[in-house]
Amino acid sequence: MKTPEDFLEGQIILIDKPLTWSSFQAVNKLKYILKRKFDLPKKFKIGHAGTLDPLATGLLIICTGKFTKKISEIQAQAKEYTGTISVGATTPSYDLETEVNATFPTQHISEALILETTQQFIGEIDQKPPVFSAIKKDGKRLYEHARAGEEIEIASRKTTIYEFEITRIALPEIDFRVKCSKGTYIRSLAFDFGNALNSGGHLTALRRTKIGNYSVVNGVLPEEFEKTLE
């Protein structure tokens, strides 16, 4: 049985974030549960170690109390994702947040071409973040510029793909597992992968399965977290 002191001293909580929930919502849900159960102080510290988009599911690590100091250390660890890329079409957000804006041929795409193309993305790569992302430029989030219809130049960044495995091919869908460094945008990987296939691509499903040695198999849904305190 956990005590208020346990959460003030510091806990690492593994959450399996549901689809459509923001990372902020998940943190607030746990904060509400903990404050209600333990009557914790107003300035009780709680935060997540790495945002997960609302359209993604999976591992969200939440730190409490003094363990919020560990957030940077956890965020720096390698991450693993599984997901689905749909080829033959692109969207401005590189995922399902926005509608398809262009279509491309897929008849030339074979299993051999797909497997060969993955090799281009293993190792250190240059990647441009999606225009629909929370990175700041000129004092505004990129998605704010994008929603205002403003054209902006986005600088590419170095990122590392440690593993890129194709797990299912059922065109236009391609399922994958990827292990990557901090700061990698899987949406950008989906878009760039479509380009490299001489077609288009966007992300239609994403699940974060691991951060370092932490795995989603040990996570609980936010609504089920309260039961773990009994």
Side-chain angles (χ1 to χ4, degrees), residues 7 12 16 55 60 63 84 92 103-104 121 123 133 153-154 168 188 197 209 211-212 219 229:
F7 290 98
I12 291 175
D16 185 351
L55 292 178
L60 185 70
C63 300
T84 303
T103 56
F104 303 86
F121 293 90
S133 63
E153 185 58 37
I154 303 172
R168 181 183 73 105
S188 293
L197 290 170
T209 50
I211 299 175
L229 303 174

Side-chain angles (χ1 to χ4, degrees), residues 4 57 61 87 99 129 149 170 183 200 209:
T57 66
I61 298 180
V87 293
E99 299 293 322
T209 50

Side-chain angles (χ1 to χ4, degrees), residues 6-211:
D6 290 329
F7 290 98
L8 291 169
E9 278 301 306
Q11 294 289 309
I12 291 175
I13 304 162
L14 307 186
I15 292 295
D16 185 351
K17 188 192 80 64
L19 191 67
T20 75
W21 279 54
S22 70
S23 301
F24 184 69
Q25 273 178 290
V27 170
N28 272 355
K29 176 72 173 176
L30 265 64
K31 190 175 186 179
Y32 171 76
I33 290 169
L34 289 169
K35 280 193 167 185
R36 188 180 61 180
K37 186 166 183 72
F38 294 122
D39 192 29
L40 294 166
K42 275 188 179 179
K43 291 186 177 178
F44 167 62
K45 288 184 178 179
I46 184 167
H48 64 72
T51 303
L52 201 53
D53 288 340
L55 292 178
T57 66
L59 183 61
L60 185 70
I61 298 180
I62 295 179
C63 300
T64 75
K66 293 177 183 175
F67 279 18
T68 52
K69 291 177 182 175
K70 294 177 178 280
I71 283 175
S72 295
E73 174 193 326
I74 294 168
Q75 282 179 324
Q77 297 181 47
K79 296 168 179 65
E80 184 182 89
Y81 298 87
T82 59
T84 303
I85 298 167
S86 184
V87 293
T90 56
T91 71
S93 60
Y94 301 171
D95 65 4
L96 296 176
E97 184 185 339
T98 52
E99 299 293 322
V100 167
N101 63 348
T103 56
F104 303 86
T106 59
Q107 296 89 337
H108 65 286
I109 299 176
S110 63
E111 180 175 340
L113 178 62
I114 291 167
L115 297 178
E116 182 185 321
T117 303
T118 60
Q119 298 306 306
Q120 296 177 30
F121 293 90
I122 295 173
E124 187 178 73
I125 62 170
D126 287 310
Q127 185 184 74
K128 281 191 178 182
V131 69
F132 281 79
S133 63
I135 294 168
K136 279 193 172 178
K137 184 176 173 73
D138 302 331
K140 281 165 64 174
R141 303 283 185 190
L142 287 184
Y143 63 74
E144 292 175 317
H145 288 287
R147 287 169 185 162
E150 297 165 3
E151 291 286 329
I152 45 171
E153 185 58 37
I154 303 172
S156 63
R157 300 173 165 202
K158 297 284 185 190
T159 189
T160 304
I161 307 293
Y162 303 111
E163 297 171 20
F164 188 9
E165 178 191 5
I166 302 301
T167 55
R168 181 183 73 105
I169 300 170
L171 294 177
E173 293 185 346
I174 300 171
D175 289 356
F176 64 89
R177 180 189 65 82
V178 68
K179 185 178 177 184
C180 56
S181 65
K182 175 192 174 184
T184 303
Y185 280 91
I186 308 300
R187 286 182 286 151
S188 293
L189 181 64
F191 179 82
D192 294 341
F193 190 66
N195 272 345
L197 290 170
N198 292 315
S199 183
H202 63 286
L203 194 65
T204 55
L206 185 66
R207 182 165 175 79
R208 185 158 66 196
T209 50
K210 290 181 183 175
I211 299 175

